Amino acid sequence: MTSSPTTTTDDPPGPDDGGGTGAEPGAGTLTGDGPSAGDGASAGDGASAGDGAGAGADREAGDRAGTGIGTGAGRGARDRAGNGVDTEVGPGAPDRAGTGAGPGAGDHAGTGVVTGVGTAVGDRAGTGGGHGAEARATATGVDSVPGVVPGPQAAGHSGLGEASSDGDPFAQDALPAPPGATGALLRSLLSARRGRVVVAALFLLLQQAAVQAGPLLVAYAIDRGVPAFRADDNGPLIAVAVGYLFCAAGAGVFQYAFIRASARVNQDVLLDLRGRIFRHAQALSVDFHERYTSGRLISRSTTDVESLRELLAEGLQELIGVILAFVYISAMLLYLDLGIGGLAVLSFVPLYALVRLYQHRAGAIFGKRSTAIAAVIVKFAETMNGIRPVRAFRRERANDADFHALNHHHERTNGDAILEMARYVIGSRLTANVAVAGIVLWGAFRVADGTLALGVLAASVLFLRRLYDPIDRLGMFLNSYQSAAASLEKIAGLLAQTPSVPDAASPRPLPQLTGGQPGREVVFESVSFSYRTGGEVLPRFDLTLPAGQTVAVVGSTGAGKSTLAKLLARFYDPTEGRVLLDGTDLRDLDTPELRRGVVMVTQEAFLFSGTVAENIAIGRPDASRDDIERAAKAIGAHDFISRLPEGYDTDVRKRGGRISAGQRQLVAFARALLADPSVLILDEATSSLDIPGERAVQRAMDTVLAGRTAVVIAHRLSTVEIADRVLVMEHGRVVEDGSPAELIGGVGRFAGLHRAWRDSLA
């Protein structure tokens, strides 16, 4: 049995919502088209499997499969596959199914075997195939199931940690970057501070020169100072003592100067890098943020930047110190004795081989570690942001199991890195100790036969210890370097992303408004749209919204209503065609002018931490307090704001948690109205209001929307009463278009919806 025909979704697959594209059917076969076997089995087409295991075809197959085998086919296959084997086929495959086939395949793999075929494997999918497979799979048990997985870009599950989707860098947390991007990023960070870097390096050079002068003074004291002292000449030994004290003091002063200079460079680099990440993330388009989770962005700007801080603060000093010590000590050893110096230099050949081997093995491990900690942060942030449904649906135990699996995977990658470091340290110490023992033994024989001075041997041994002692510190540098290199690669990949909705190269201004009305004409000209994850959402269509008209857009979930609004707000650009505002292509408008002209109020009213007045003023930052209060009064929010403890100066706290959802929506309305746009988009914007609140907003809208072009997307048909025109959408197409009275009096889909709504009120 193949999957159901293509369906159209209203929204793109988000990184955290568990949904797929819903736009491209999966491919594959389904066993059990008729009778089913297992506990609680049910038979026949149209049968729905109940608790336990079962199989069936058609809608709503299989709710809560327990331990055993659960198979469901058709649209809307249901959720929560438990232990055992779970397979889902068809569009809309479930929330929290192990994995499935078809668009929208499930959300959360349980324990056991998960497999599936098709497209759009959702958030935290276990194993399956399709576009848009998102990461963070935490299924345990059998990691993969052999078999045919034909869907394009089949998703794989590599055990614990993040699931992968072949060819989808967003799911793999491996954003592509041009060759050399990591080095170019580091050079750009340091180039503006080149002078201070040179000064810091000079201080370190002087510090190393002062430190490495010690063995030469020891050799001079043994070979010259001691014989002179026996001859009653104390001068050479006194000179050695004074010189040693002077070198020690100089080394301390230069070390302090280096640390001070390098610390300023380090902090400036980190400040610059965090700012770049934040600014670039804000500049990227909405579709990027819907595919790349906020938890990963947090990981890039915290954990990965911290890795670079460790490298700059400690690693570079160790590296430069080791390089300077190697060059300086090698030169001194060759100067003191050519044979000893030559053997010391040759001993670095196996040490260099060890370094290269460590770099090769550790590089891949640190890349996995960066991805693993990002998965931990994503899960933590997701759980805390969704703490209400977590508590409401008793997800604590399941989330704890998921987090434990991700945390354990991070622990394993950390352990692998430590083991690689241990192998390197053991190998380097063994090589260094063998080299020192051999050189000292050979030197002792030469001292005995009179071909080498004792002082030269003593100085050589001191130099050798100083030459090999930093090997461990070099290992620490390599550890920091590999971690920072993996982090920089991910940061460079993020910074290499370009907005899919770019700013206009040569912006054109909107024509001046005429007639004293703020509204502008909107035209969708031969527009079609497909999300990047595949599947056409809006087939080619034409639509004109006259200036000043209020248009309600209704239709079932997935009909394309919100996608239409997002194209008008230019959160996306059409795949084909143009969206015009008073004859000007939205792609030709300067972004600030576009945002002033078109404002969108979404279903979820997001408030920032701060006062009520500050949140309303986002619509127009230069607005006075009187302007803010007038906007609140116009929308009916003034009364409840006045009753808050500090009125307009009340801090709403994180995400507006101090006020109710309906009150947050009213604040969002006031924010939009203060912006005074030409086009106002209300995307399910009254869904959070109770009936009295909705009526108050509708009364305010009669005045506020007068003269503006408004697009009102609503499931509540009561909201449609304010509209001049109604568009009914199905599968991305406008199937009915007319005034509310015309459509209600007809026999079409809207008339049926309206009758059902009126009956529900009776």
Side-chain angles (χ1 to χ4, degrees), residues 266-320:
N266 297 345
Q267 293 305 311
D268 286 350
V269 166
L270 300 178
L271 180 69
D272 185 4
L273 185 58
R274 285 197 184 96
R276 290 192 194 190
I277 294 172
F278 185 80
R279 289 190 298 271
H280 191 73
Q282 285 194 115
L284 290 172
S285 305
V286 172
D287 69 329
F288 174 87
H289 292 281
E290 289 177 335
R291 298 173 65 197
Y292 198 77
T293 63
S294 59
R296 287 180 181 154
L297 286 173
I298 294 171
S299 181
R300 298 293 87 84
S301 59
T302 54
T303 305
D304 290 329
V305 171
E306 179 66 16
S307 296
L308 182 60
R309 185 201 67 78
E310 293 176 359
L311 175 67
L312 293 175
E314 302 170 5
L316 286 180
Q317 179 182 356
E318 297 294 344
L319 175 65
I320 296 173

Side-chain angles (χ1 to χ4, degrees), residues 147-174:
V148 180
V149 186
Q153 296 184 357
H157 176 38
S158 56
L160 297 174
E162 298 205 358
S164 63
S165 172
D166 295 342
D168 186 358
F170 285 78
Q172 297 169 355
D173 194 17

